[in-house]
Amino acid sequence: QVQLVESGGGLVQAGGSLRLSCAASGSVFSIILMGWYRQAPGKQRELVAAITSGGSTNYADSVKGRFTISRDNAKNTVYLQMNSLKPEDTAVYYCRGLGTNIYWGQGTQVTVSS
């Protein structure tokens, strides 16, 4: 089993920055892909960014050039640096781990005011 705990959400003005963290514990060796997803009210959950165990990344078009996903293997932590935030980035952000199973964190709220 793998446990994922997100942190770093909050309220920020448009144009500001936040950094989300996702700390993994348990059978982390089984995780091959980590990702950040978000879900805004009334919308489906969508992929924001993902990173493989080898460090390859991909991003949703809406966040390219503004968000950066990274990982610290020594700390079993994945980060999402979010810059130039927009009101449309407001959502609950979830960390997801893919291995032998799919694991989700509890989510962290990000609110961007205009």
Side-chain angles (χ1 to χ4, degrees):
Q1 287 293 322
V2 174
Q3 295 77 43
L4 303 174
V5 178
E6 302 101 332
S7 61
L11 173 65
V12 64
Q13 288 188 329
S17 299
L18 283 174
R19 189 177 80 156
L20 306 183
S21 299
C22 173
S25 60
S27 303
V28 296
F29 59 86
S30 69
I31 299 297
I32 59 173
L33 181 69
M34 293 291 295
W36 284 98
Y37 286 70
R38 66 186 182 187
Q39 187 167 19
K43 295 188 177 181
Q44 289 190 332
R45 192 171 296 188
E46 62 177 0
L47 173 68
V48 176
I51 186 167
T52 69
S53 56
S56 298
T57 59
N58 71 286
Y59 297 90
D61 288 342
S62 59
V63 306
K64 282 181 180 177
R66 300 189 297 123
F67 291 10
T68 302
I69 189 171
S70 62
R71 62 192 298 161
D72 184 332
N73 291 329
K75 296 182 178 180
N76 292 327
T77 300
V78 174
Y79 303 97
L80 184 68
Q81 178 66 45
M82 305 186 294
N83 299 327
S84 302
L85 282 161
K86 304 175 181 180
E88 51 264 44
D89 294 318
T90 295
V92 178
Y93 283 70
Y94 297 91
C95 180
R96 175 183 181 265
L98 174 64
T100 54
N101 291 298
I102 297 174
Y103 305 96
W104 290 94
Q106 82 286 355
T108 185
Q109 177 71 45
V110 172
T111 302
V112 184
S113 63
S114 57

